[in-house]
Amino acid sequence: RNYSSAYMGGKTGWMLDACNKKDSVDDLNRENCGDFWGFYNNFFVGHIDRFLEPDIQHFLNTIDDTGVIFTKRWNDLLLQSATTQLFVEKKKTFHFTGFTYAHNSGFHDMLHYGIVQIGLHEQKPYKSYISYMEEELKWNMAMHSKYLINVNGLLTLATPNPATCCSNAAPDGWPNGPEVLTP
């Protein structure tokens, strides 16, 4: 909020998309928007030249100068996600969905802050989900059922809910037709 107010005229990009009230940068808070969701970036494709442009470099240098990367553990997920949501049009983002992905921060026996997303090309997604949950993670199915949602056709276990993440359409310049959404 401080950066947006001081340097961007209060613009928020698409950071307010998941919020209830969306009138100004002041609405960007946990009470109104819930937990901040980010892009799990074990697989993250970005246009490096865009990240090197002056507006993004100013933003990242301003954050670096505050020391919060060290004092508050602002990490790559937070910085890449905030940068993308503030400076890149949502329609230029793309959520790769062709493979199963899981990531969890926190406890080893339950979802704390993370995601289990079954790839679009799984023949039996619910069976794959159960197998992954019970055999790989050894997680209690009943305890996690409240987090199971369908996001853009994907069987997803996530907290916070990523339903407002990214564009559903292929980004500008996508070399394949609309019927090919994932590599």
Side-chain angles (χ1 to χ4, degrees):
R1 287 188 311 247
N2 293 347
Y3 186 88
S4 174
S5 297
Y7 301 105
M8 298 176 67
K11 293 180 183 170
T12 59
W14 44 285
M15 291 189 83
L16 289 172
D17 280 9
C19 302
N20 295 314
K21 188 176 174 195
K22 305 170 194 231
D23 297 330
S24 77
V25 69
D26 294 329
D27 295 328
L28 188 59
N29 59 65
R30 182 172 278 169
E31 295 78 29
N32 183 46
C33 304
D35 287 328
F36 175 80
W37 52 263
F39 308 121
Y40 290 99
N41 54 10
N42 296 52
F43 180 81
F44 182 92
V45 178
H47 191 266
I48 299 299
D49 290 342
R50 179 64 183 106
F51 278 82
L52 294 174
E53 288 182 14
D55 58 345
I56 290 179
Q57 286 298 297
H58 184 266
F59 173 66
L60 295 174
N61 287 327
T62 301
I63 289 172
D64 190 29
D65 289 346
T66 67
V68 295
I69 294 170
F70 303 103
T71 60
K72 300 205 183 275
R73 298 188 68 205
W74 285 20
N75 57 28
D76 53 341
L77 179 145
L78 178 68
L79 295 174
Q80 290 173 352
S81 299
T83 301
T84 301
Q85 290 174 54
L86 282 172
F87 296 100
V88 178
E89 292 177 68
K90 190 174 188 177
K91 70 179 183 178
K92 292 184 177 183
T93 64
F94 184 71
H95 181 185
F96 287 89
T97 58
F99 53 89
T100 296
Y101 177 77
H103 180 88
N104 185 39
S105 296
F107 310 106
H108 71 282
D109 61 342
M110 63 179 280
L111 185 67
H112 176 64
Y113 191 89
I115 191 168
V116 175
Q117 192 161 62
I118 304 302
L120 227 80
H121 302 297
E122 287 283 344
Q123 295 296 316
K124 298 180 179 178
Y126 195 71
K127 184 176 182 181
S128 296
Y129 166 74
I130 290 171
S131 172
Y132 192 79
M133 291 291 288
E134 292 179 345
E135 296 169 22
E136 297 290 324
L137 299 175
K138 301 190 182 348
W139 284 359
N140 179 305
M141 294 288 290
M143 180 171 65
H144 289 88
S145 63
K146 67 181 176 182
Y147 300 120
L148 187 60
I149 54 176
N150 182 317
V151 177
N152 301 327
L154 296 167
L155 189 59
T156 304
L157 177 78
T159 180
N161 181 337
T164 57
C165 167
C166 311
S167 172
N168 291 336
D172 293 341
W174 183 251
N176 303 297
E179 70 285 353
V180 180
L181 291 180
T182 59

PDB file of all heavy atoms in Angstrom, residues 5 49 55 68 75 81 94 126 130 150 156 159 161 182:
ATOM      1  N   SER A   5       0.818   4.059  -2.968  1.00  0.00           N
ATOM      2  CA  SER A   5       0.429   5.439  -2.660  1.00  0.00           C
ATOM      3  C   SER A   5       1.535   6.425  -3.005  1.00  0.00           C
ATOM      4  O   SER A   5       1.278   7.480  -3.580  1.00  0.00           O
ATOM      5  CB  SER A   5       0.068   5.567  -1.186  1.00  0.00           C
ATOM      6  OG  SER A   5      -1.051   4.775  -0.890  1.00  0.00           O
ATOM      7  N   ASP A  49      13.240  -9.302 -19.518  1.00  0.00           N
ATOM      8  CA  ASP A  49      13.357  -7.891 -19.892  1.00  0.00           C
ATOM      9  C   ASP A  49      12.318  -7.038 -19.169  1.00  0.00           C
ATOM     10  O   ASP A  49      12.599  -5.904 -18.785  1.00  0.00           O
ATOM     11  CB  ASP A  49      13.216  -7.714 -21.404  1.00  0.00           C
ATOM     12  CG  ASP A  49      14.412  -8.254 -22.174  1.00  0.00           C
ATOM     13  OD1 ASP A  49      15.483  -8.451 -21.561  1.00  0.00           O
ATOM     14  OD2 ASP A  49      14.276  -8.482 -23.396  1.00  0.00           O
ATOM     15  N   ASP A  55      10.429   0.689 -13.887  1.00  0.00           N
ATOM     16  CA  ASP A  55       9.363   0.710 -12.884  1.00  0.00           C
ATOM     17  C   ASP A  55       9.472  -0.477 -11.924  1.00  0.00           C
ATOM     18  O   ASP A  55       9.358  -0.313 -10.700  1.00  0.00           O
ATOM     19  CB  ASP A  55       7.979   0.770 -13.533  1.00  0.00           C
ATOM     20  CG  ASP A  55       7.677  -0.377 -14.496  1.00  0.00           C
ATOM     21  OD1 ASP A  55       8.611  -1.096 -14.913  1.00  0.00           O
ATOM     22  OD2 ASP A  55       6.491  -0.546 -14.841  1.00  0.00           O
ATOM     23  N   VAL A  68      13.175  -5.537   4.619  1.00  0.00           N
ATOM     24  CA  VAL A  68      12.131  -6.492   4.994  1.00  0.00           C
ATOM     25  C   VAL A  68      12.360  -7.889   4.407  1.00  0.00           C
ATOM     26  O   VAL A  68      11.806  -8.862   4.917  1.00  0.00           O
ATOM     27  CB  VAL A  68      10.711  -5.999   4.619  1.00  0.00           C
ATOM     28  CG1 VAL A  68      10.339  -4.754   5.406  1.00  0.00           C
ATOM     29  CG2 VAL A  68      10.579  -5.770   3.123  1.00  0.00           C
ATOM     30  N   ASN A  75       9.944 -13.246   0.603  1.00  0.00           N
ATOM     31  CA  ASN A  75      10.676 -14.208  -0.208  1.00  0.00           C
ATOM     32  C   ASN A  75      10.350 -14.079  -1.686  1.00  0.00           C
ATOM     33  O   ASN A  75       9.621 -13.187  -2.107  1.00  0.00           O
ATOM     34  CB  ASN A  75      10.380 -15.623   0.299  1.00  0.00           C
ATOM     35  CG  ASN A  75       8.880 -15.912   0.290  1.00  0.00           C
ATOM     36  OD1 ASN A  75       8.129 -15.358  -0.512  1.00  0.00           O
ATOM     37  ND2 ASN A  75       8.436 -16.774   1.179  1.00  0.00           N
ATOM     38  N   SER A  81       5.222 -12.513  -7.029  1.00  0.00           N
ATOM     39  CA  SER A  81       3.762 -12.406  -7.145  1.00  0.00           C
ATOM     40  C   SER A  81       3.305 -10.953  -7.075  1.00  0.00           C
ATOM     41  O   SER A  81       2.493 -10.509  -7.890  1.00  0.00           O
ATOM     42  CB  SER A  81       3.090 -13.230  -6.042  1.00  0.00           C
ATOM     43  OG  SER A  81       3.435 -14.590  -6.163  1.00  0.00           O
ATOM     44  N   PHE A  94      -0.318 -16.525 -17.350  1.00  0.00           N
ATOM     45  CA  PHE A  94      -0.855 -17.817 -17.746  1.00  0.00           C
ATOM     46  C   PHE A  94      -0.570 -18.831 -16.651  1.00  0.00           C
ATOM     47  O   PHE A  94       0.535 -18.895 -16.132  1.00  0.00           O
ATOM     48  CB  PHE A  94      -0.216 -18.272 -19.061  1.00  0.00           C
ATOM     49  CG  PHE A  94      -0.776 -19.546 -19.590  1.00  0.00           C
ATOM     50  CD1 PHE A  94      -2.055 -19.588 -20.116  1.00  0.00           C
ATOM     51  CD2 PHE A  94      -0.037 -20.707 -19.561  1.00  0.00           C
ATOM     52  CE1 PHE A  94      -2.585 -20.766 -20.611  1.00  0.00           C
ATOM     53  CE2 PHE A  94      -0.548 -21.888 -20.048  1.00  0.00           C
ATOM     54  CZ  PHE A  94      -1.827 -21.922 -20.577  1.00  0.00           C
ATOM     55  N   TYR A 126      -9.797 -37.396  -9.616  1.00  0.00           N
ATOM     56  CA  TYR A 126     -10.121 -37.624  -8.208  1.00  0.00           C
ATOM     57  C   TYR A 126      -9.359 -38.825  -7.670  1.00  0.00           C
ATOM     58  O   TYR A 126      -8.865 -38.796  -6.548  1.00  0.00           O
ATOM     59  CB  TYR A 126     -11.630 -37.779  -7.996  1.00  0.00           C
ATOM     60  CG  TYR A 126     -12.002 -37.659  -6.539  1.00  0.00           C
ATOM     61  CD1 TYR A 126     -11.927 -36.425  -5.882  1.00  0.00           C
ATOM     62  CD2 TYR A 126     -12.381 -38.764  -5.806  1.00  0.00           C
ATOM     63  CE1 TYR A 126     -12.231 -36.310  -4.550  1.00  0.00           C
ATOM     64  CE2 TYR A 126     -12.691 -38.653  -4.456  1.00  0.00           C
ATOM     65  CZ  TYR A 126     -12.617 -37.422  -3.829  1.00  0.00           C
ATOM     66  OH  TYR A 126     -12.904 -37.306  -2.499  1.00  0.00           O
ATOM     67  N   ILE A 130      -6.742 -38.705  -4.525  1.00  0.00           N
ATOM     68  CA  ILE A 130      -6.816 -39.581  -3.352  1.00  0.00           C
ATOM     69  C   ILE A 130      -5.493 -40.339  -3.183  1.00  0.00           C
ATOM     70  O   ILE A 130      -4.947 -40.427  -2.086  1.00  0.00           O
ATOM     71  CB  ILE A 130      -8.002 -40.558  -3.466  1.00  0.00           C
ATOM     72  CG1 ILE A 130      -9.309 -39.781  -3.319  1.00  0.00           C
ATOM     73  CG2 ILE A 130      -7.916 -41.658  -2.410  1.00  0.00           C
ATOM     74  CD1 ILE A 130     -10.544 -40.589  -3.623  1.00  0.00           C
ATOM     75  N   ASN A 150     -12.614 -26.632  -7.272  1.00  0.00           N
ATOM     76  CA  ASN A 150     -12.372 -26.750  -8.694  1.00  0.00           C
ATOM     77  C   ASN A 150     -11.968 -25.365  -9.177  1.00  0.00           C
ATOM     78  O   ASN A 150     -12.742 -24.421  -9.097  1.00  0.00           O
ATOM     79  CB  ASN A 150     -13.641 -27.223  -9.397  1.00  0.00           C
ATOM     80  CG  ASN A 150     -13.434 -27.414 -10.880  1.00  0.00           C
ATOM     81  OD1 ASN A 150     -12.811 -26.594 -11.549  1.00  0.00           O
ATOM     82  ND2 ASN A 150     -13.980 -28.498 -11.395  1.00  0.00           N
ATOM     83  N   THR A 156      -8.268 -29.010  -7.095  1.00  0.00           N
ATOM     84  CA  THR A 156      -7.254 -28.262  -6.370  1.00  0.00           C
ATOM     85  C   THR A 156      -7.528 -28.268  -4.877  1.00  0.00           C
ATOM     86  O   THR A 156      -8.638 -28.002  -4.440  1.00  0.00           O
ATOM     87  CB  THR A 156      -7.225 -26.795  -6.869  1.00  0.00           C
ATOM     88  OG1 THR A 156      -7.011 -26.796  -8.274  1.00  0.00           O
ATOM     89  CG2 THR A 156      -6.149 -25.994  -6.181  1.00  0.00           C
ATOM     90  N   THR A 159      -4.812 -23.475   0.102  1.00  0.00           N
ATOM     91  CA  THR A 159      -5.074 -22.401   1.037  1.00  0.00           C
ATOM     92  C   THR A 159      -3.946 -21.388   0.880  1.00  0.00           C
ATOM     93  O   THR A 159      -2.778 -21.781   0.928  1.00  0.00           O
ATOM     94  CB  THR A 159      -5.221 -22.900   2.483  1.00  0.00           C
ATOM     95  OG1 THR A 159      -5.467 -21.784   3.316  1.00  0.00           O
ATOM     96  CG2 THR A 159      -4.022 -23.669   2.987  1.00  0.00           C
ATOM     97  N   ASN A 161      -7.304 -19.742  -1.363  1.00  0.00           N
ATOM     98  CA  ASN A 161      -7.957 -20.146  -2.596  1.00  0.00           C
ATOM     99  C   ASN A 161      -7.363 -19.390  -3.791  1.00  0.00           C
ATOM    100  O   ASN A 161      -7.392 -18.171  -3.822  1.00  0.00           O
ATOM    101  CB  ASN A 161      -9.451 -19.843  -2.472  1.00  0.00           C
ATOM    102  CG  ASN A 161     -10.246 -20.246  -3.683  1.00  0.00           C
ATOM    103  OD1 ASN A 161      -9.728 -20.363  -4.785  1.00  0.00           O
ATOM    104  ND2 ASN A 161     -11.527 -20.464  -3.482  1.00  0.00           N
ATOM    105  N   THR A 182      -1.712 -25.916 -22.605  1.00  0.00           N
ATOM    106  CA  THR A 182      -0.522 -26.266 -21.841  1.00  0.00           C
ATOM    107  C   THR A 182       0.463 -26.998 -22.735  1.00  0.00           C
ATOM    108  O   THR A 182       0.076 -27.652 -23.686  1.00  0.00           O
ATOM    109  CB  THR A 182      -0.852 -27.182 -20.649  1.00  0.00           C
ATOM    110  OG1 THR A 182      -1.466 -28.355 -21.154  1.00  0.00           O
ATOM    111  CG2 THR A 182      -1.749 -26.494 -19.661  1.00  0.00           C
TER     112      THR A 182
END
